[in-house]
Amino acid sequence: MILGLGIPELLIIVVVVLIIFGPKNLPKLGSALGKTVKNVREGMEEGDEKDKDSKKVEEPKEDEAEEVVADEDDADVEDAPAEKAKEGVQFCSKCGAENAADAAFCKKCGAKLSE
């Protein structure tokens, strides 16, 4: 028994497939089905390998912690939103989108803008 089907049920399925596809197209159908199954198996194995690789990522040790260094360019980035706020633009605190100074809600995400 295959998948709970007996011999009579399997014969009926084979006859219906022969009628629908014809004997000339069965080899093409079989090879296409085999390639599909092969690709699915390879994809599943590739996904398993990626999961294993992502679990192997090491966290930095305490003495190897990254150090954040401020340079001259960083100061300009912090001042840019403040300069634009003076020009009649306010930024959304959730998504960072620019909005008109008199807007009550963000045009991108719909969040209420603080005034």
Side-chain angles (χ1 to χ4, degrees), residues 66-104:
E66 293 183 18
E67 200 175 308
V68 178
V69 178
D71 60 1
E72 296 169 6
D73 294 335
D74 293 340
D76 296 341
V77 174
E78 293 173 6
D79 295 338
E83 290 174 9
K84 285 201 175 185
K86 294 175 187 174
E87 297 174 6
V89 177
Q90 55 177 302
F91 290 88
C92 176
S93 60
K94 288 191 177 183
C95 68
E98 292 183 18
N99 295 288
D102 59 342

Side-chain angles (χ1 to χ4, degrees), residues 39-94:
N39 288 337
V40 168
R41 285 184 181 170
E42 287 175 356
M44 290 175 63
E45 289 174 1
E46 184 176 309
D48 291 342
E49 290 173 5
K50 287 182 181 177
D51 289 343
K52 290 176 184 176
D53 291 342
S54 65
K55 291 178 183 176
K56 292 180 181 179
V57 174
E58 296 179 14
E59 294 185 20
K61 297 177 183 175
E62 290 180 23
D63 54 332
E64 295 178 0
E66 293 183 18
E67 200 175 308
V68 178
V69 178
D71 60 1
E72 296 169 6
D73 294 335
D74 293 340
D76 296 341
V77 174
E78 293 173 6
D79 295 338
E83 290 174 9
K84 285 201 175 185
K86 294 175 187 174
E87 297 174 6
V89 177
Q90 55 177 302
F91 290 88
C92 176
S93 60
K94 288 191 177 183

